[in-house]
Amino acid sequence: MSGIYALPFGQADCFLTELEEGGQTTYILIDGGSRLWPGAPLSYYLEERGVEQLDLMIQTHLHQDHLGWLADGTQGTRVHRAVLPARSAKLWPVLDTFENREPAADCREQARLEKILREQWADVRYACEMEDFASLPAGGWTMTLIWPSRHVFLPFSGAVMERQMGRGAAGREERWEERLISQINGDSSVWLLHRDGRQLALFCGDCFEELFLDRYEFFVRQAGLAPGVEILKLSHHGRNDKGHLYFTDRILEAAAPEKVLLTNTAENAARYESQREFFGDRAVVAGEEEIFLKFIV
């Protein structure tokens, strides 16, 4: 049985994709939940599922509620291939000067993850350095990077690297930092799991739909995939407070999902209730308990 485990870390992303074929199981881990959620760590769920190795591990972007337990969780689990958003060594010189310490702390945590992966001799790649629509095999399945690539300018890490090279706005530091930090979600990688012309799952991280939607539609046409994705993990937990319903409406139309996965919590219940009619009966709200979504056979 193949499908996605949405692991319970509150309003945070952590998805263990289990792909079975011919008696073999391939595991893909996307993001690592939140260390702030008062529950079991990621390692508990990996051990519970009997996961001894990850064929692919993805960190979508530099936020604690996605980076979370990745470093601790991979210490006891062999990782063959990992994709991280950008090299921490390139971001650190600028982030270390921020008055807002959260991006710097997250960057340090990613650096710790990179060290663990190097010690495992994992094949580590960076989304912002990969080619357009780079595809990675996962057993008999394929994960394709929809956004970003080395050919696009990223809102957050691209601006940080420009600043490091002495370009960008001089002065107005506080406004620059606030504007920059608000763009971290825009760097989030977006991945499509597909096989035999089927779109199985589209993982949008926290990316703004206006950045990746055209690229997604182009790839589906170019690859000759059948229309409609079975599971859509909607951007930014399905909250729609960063971005607009207009863009979410567009991706629901373009992806035509069977199920829409939201990682939300009780604290956002009022916001979600106001949009329940918008999502319809396709919505599956995870976050406070483990949910398994099986791929349609």
Side-chain angles (χ1 to χ4, degrees), residues 46-62:
L46 295 178
E47 291 172 7
E48 185 180 51
R49 298 299 314 158
V51 180
E52 297 180 353
Q53 63 181 21
L54 294 168
D55 296 85
L56 175 61
M57 188 210 77
I58 295 170
Q59 174 200 334
T60 59
H61 62 295
L62 197 68

Side-chain angles (χ1 to χ4, degrees), residues 23-34:
Q24 300 294 318
T25 304
T26 297
Y27 291 104
I28 302 172
L29 180 67
I30 300 177
D31 287 331
S34 171

Side-chain angles (χ1 to χ4, degrees), residues 147-166:
W147 171 272
S149 77
R150 62 189 295 267
H151 302 289
V152 301
F153 181 86
L154 292 176
F156 177 71
S157 58
V160 168
M161 293 175 192
E162 280 210 342
R163 189 54 167 260
Q164 187 177 353
M165 292 184 289

Side-chain angles (χ1 to χ4, degrees), residues 212-230:
F212 71 84
L213 186 53
D214 288 343
R215 291 170 63 93
Y216 163 72
E217 293 180 304
F218 172 80
F219 176 76
V220 169
R221 291 193 303 270
Q222 181 192 56
L225 301 179
V229 64
E230 293 180 19

Side-chain angles (χ1 to χ4, degrees), residues 19 36 71 73 141 148 182 223 246 254 265-266:
L19 307 172
L36 304 180
W141 315 65
S182 71
Y246 165 72
T265 60

Side-chain angles (χ1 to χ4, degrees), residues 22-132:
Q24 300 294 318
T25 304
T26 297
Y27 291 104
I28 302 172
L29 180 67
I30 300 177
D31 287 331
S34 171
R35 295 173 64 92
L36 304 180
W37 184 253
L42 173 59
S43 58
Y44 168 82
Y45 297 102
L46 295 178
E47 291 172 7
E48 185 180 51
R49 298 299 314 158
V51 180
E52 297 180 353
Q53 63 181 21
L54 294 168
D55 296 85
L56 175 61
M57 188 210 77
I58 295 170
Q59 174 200 334
T60 59
H61 62 295
L62 197 68
H63 268 157
Q64 191 280 142
D65 59 343
H66 295 254
L67 176 58
W69 291 99
L70 284 180
D72 290 346
T74 54
Q75 280 185 318
T77 305
R78 176 80 168 89
V79 179
H80 289 281
R81 178 178 289 157
V83 180
L84 310 182
R87 297 175 188 269
S88 60
K90 289 188 176 182
L91 301 177
W92 177 251
V94 173
L95 296 186
D96 192 35
T97 67
F98 273 25
E99 290 185 13
N100 183 315
R101 307 310 298 173
E102 289 184 16
D106 293 338
C107 193
R108 283 194 296 271
E109 182 65 11
Q110 184 186 307
R112 186 166 77 94
L113 172 61
E114 287 170 303
K115 181 175 183 294
I116 292 169
L117 293 171
R118 285 196 302 270
E119 291 171 348
Q120 293 191 10
W121 296 96
D123 175 10
V124 180
R125 306 183 186 189
Y126 297 89
C128 68
E129 299 175 8
M130 297 170 71
E131 292 297 326
D132 284 332

Side-chain angles (χ1 to χ4, degrees), residues 236-275:
H236 203 244
H237 317 289
R239 288 172 58 182
N240 293 309
D241 58 347
K242 294 189 177 179
H244 305 282
L245 284 174
Y246 165 72
F247 292 110
T248 301
D249 187 44
R250 282 188 62 206
I251 193 170
L252 289 177
E253 180 179 355
E258 294 285 334
K259 295 293 183 183
V260 180
L261 178 60
L262 305 91
T263 49
N264 224 315
T265 60
E267 67 184 88
N268 288 310
R271 178 185 288 111
Y272 173 67
E273 286 297 328
S274 70
Q275 298 168 3

